[in-house]
Amino acid sequence: NIKIDISKASKRKVKSGNCIGSAFEVVPHILKDIGGIVMAFIFGTCDVGPRAVSERSKDEMVNENILLHMPKTDKSAFYGGIARLYARSMISLHLFAASKEKEFIDLPVIGIPCGLTGGRCHFFGGFDPLFHFSEIHREIYRTLTTKYFWDATLRLRTSSSLTIGRIHANCQIASQNTISLPVIAAEDSFVFEFALHMHITTDTLPFQFELEWNDDNRRRMIR
């Protein structure tokens, strides 16, 4: 259990906002040799420190398709880079983000480390402690008590008649048929899209699915 308090990271007074990007940067230095799960809690926009998220343009704010993509700025690129570093360091991020009513905190940027490390992003917009308390408590408890598979690799082989067109998962794709994650939960799921390579002339198609992981005792398991 390691807690990083960023509430006093800036000497200037701010009514809201945070420097979560700077905290993200510290994490790999602490967990680089052991990996693990990080639970980050923020309120408001990441607008403090060198890793503050760039403001979106007026055009982006009214175009949802553009808004959901990471903007091509140096500040935003940091979050993509730190996400890949987390994945290589076997670190998984679970983000709990809250905001005031109608406050934009740019989850498509600060949530990227969740999306590439098998983590989850929980958002509580228009935060009301009385209304959201039980939901937050439930998600924290679930995250802390879930059975995890560490340093997991999933590999799918198919008949020569099919090819894997796309894989949908909160991770980096290692190859066309392989997924690698710092950790997965027992109830996690993944989607494989298939493309027909040639005309199928048989009644059945064989699939072979392989899962490798480390258990809580650091033993390498395979199914």
Side-chain angles (χ1 to χ4, degrees), residues 3-164:
K3 180 180 179 182
I4 301 175
D5 186 353
I6 62 172
S7 59
K8 298 179 181 179
S10 175
K11 294 183 179 180
R12 69 183 182 88
K13 294 182 179 180
V14 290
K15 294 182 179 179
S16 65
N18 57 78
C19 57
I20 191 64
S22 297
F24 284 172
E25 194 168 19
V26 172
V27 167
H29 297 283
I30 300 173
L31 299 178
K32 63 180 179 179
D33 295 324
I34 57 175
I37 292 175
V38 173
M39 298 171 65
F41 301 83
I42 65 169
F43 184 88
T45 306
C46 178
D47 58 2
V48 181
R51 302 306 183 184
V53 177
S54 302
E55 292 186 11
R56 299 293 192 114
S57 67
K58 293 182 179 179
D59 292 336
E60 287 177 302
M61 293 300 293
V62 296
N63 189 321
E64 185 174 4
N65 287 333
I66 298 177
L67 196 62
L68 291 176
H69 287 79
M70 187 176 72
K72 295 180 180 180
T73 67
D74 291 339
K75 289 186 176 181
S76 298
F78 160 78
Y79 290 86
I82 202 71
R84 290 185 287 273
L85 178 58
Y86 276 28
R88 293 194 302 270
S89 304
M90 294 295 117
I91 299 169
S92 179
L93 175 70
H94 291 251
L95 180 64
F96 294 77
S99 69
K100 296 181 292 186
E101 188 71 31
K102 297 182 179 180
E103 183 181 21
F104 179 68
I105 63 175
D106 214 340
L107 289 178
V109 173
I110 63 173
I112 289 175
C114 299
L116 294 185
T117 61
R120 286 181 169 86
C121 183
H122 307 275
F123 176 60
F124 307 94
F127 182 72
D128 182 343
L130 295 177
F131 178 75
H132 289 113
F133 177 80
S134 60
E135 185 178 356
I136 293 176
H137 181 273
R138 182 175 62 252
E139 291 303 319
I140 292 175
Y141 182 81
R142 184 198 60 75
T143 304
L144 291 174
T145 59
T146 293
K147 177 178 176 56
Y148 292 105
F149 299 86
W150 307 95
D151 190 10
T153 299
L154 299 87
R155 185 174 292 106
L156 179 66
R157 297 182 178 91
T158 67
S159 162
S160 59
S161 301
L162 294 177
T163 57
I164 300 173

Side-chain angles (χ1 to χ4, degrees), residues 177-193:
N177 69 335
T178 303
I179 298 174
S180 296
L181 299 104
V183 60
I184 60 174
E187 69 272 15
D188 283 348
S189 60
F190 309 91
V191 174
F192 291 83
E193 286 186 12

Side-chain angles (χ1 to χ4, degrees), residues 189-210:
S189 60
F190 309 91
V191 174
F192 291 83
E193 286 186 12
F194 296 106
L196 188 62
H197 185 63
M198 62 182 69
H199 182 64
I200 299 176
T201 58
T202 59
D203 295 330
T204 60
L205 289 172
F207 293 86
Q208 183 185 57
F209 181 77
E210 176 187 299

